[in-house]
Structures are given as C-alpha cells and as structure tokens.
Amino acid sequence: ICHSAIVINRAVSDDHLRAAPHTLYLYGDADPEFPQDYYRESYTWVQTHTGGRCQSVVIPGLAHTTSAESRAACAAYLRDQLGGD
C-alpha cells in the first residue's frame, strides 16, 4: 500500500517491481504536500513498471494525512488481496 507518497527513486528494475505484490496507490485530491500531477505521474510509473498490477484510489478532500475513508479503502484492499469477507 502506497498512501500519500510519490516515487522518487526510479532506478529500481522492472523485474524487481514485477516480483512485488499488487500495489494500492492511494492519495487525496486536496494534498498540499505534493501537486496532483506528481501523484498521477508516480501512479502511471508504478502501473507501467509493475506490469499493470497497481490500483489507484483518490480520496476527495483528503489532505496529506489519513482519514476514516482512506483507512477503510486500505482495509478493503487488504481484505480483497487476502481473500477475506
């Protein structure tokens, strides 16, 4: 799970990233820490370099923090990945 973070080190190999588990890329559309373009570019980069194994969730009104909605999205993602109900 990548929550409110951008990709800085893009020197990681594609093979290494493709070996990683599916990724949830979650951020808020009201984050003053990073411009929305940074998030979109980072998501596109991760999506491309993981072979499409990245899901994006944008939380309306969320700043550079967590919220009940973002934590619920993380919990739902983990539940889905682990095959839970």
Side-chain angles (χ1 to χ4, degrees), residues 1 31 51:
I1 296 175
D31 189 339

Side-chain angles (χ1 to χ4, degrees), residues 19-77:
H22 193 274
T23 302
L24 173 65
Y25 193 81
L26 186 143
Y27 60 95
D29 69 358
D31 189 339
E33 192 74 24
F34 302 118
Q36 293 297 297
D37 287 350
Y38 285 19
Y39 282 122
R40 286 188 292 271
E41 289 170 10
S42 291
Y43 168 72
T44 298
W45 188 88
V46 172
Q47 179 74 341
T48 299
H49 294 276
T50 59
R53 295 179 312 113
C54 185
Q55 171 187 341
S56 178
V57 174
V58 181
I59 306 291
L62 184 68
H64 196 73
T65 187
T66 65
S67 67
E69 187 176 357
S70 70
R71 290 187 299 275
C74 289
Y77 171 80

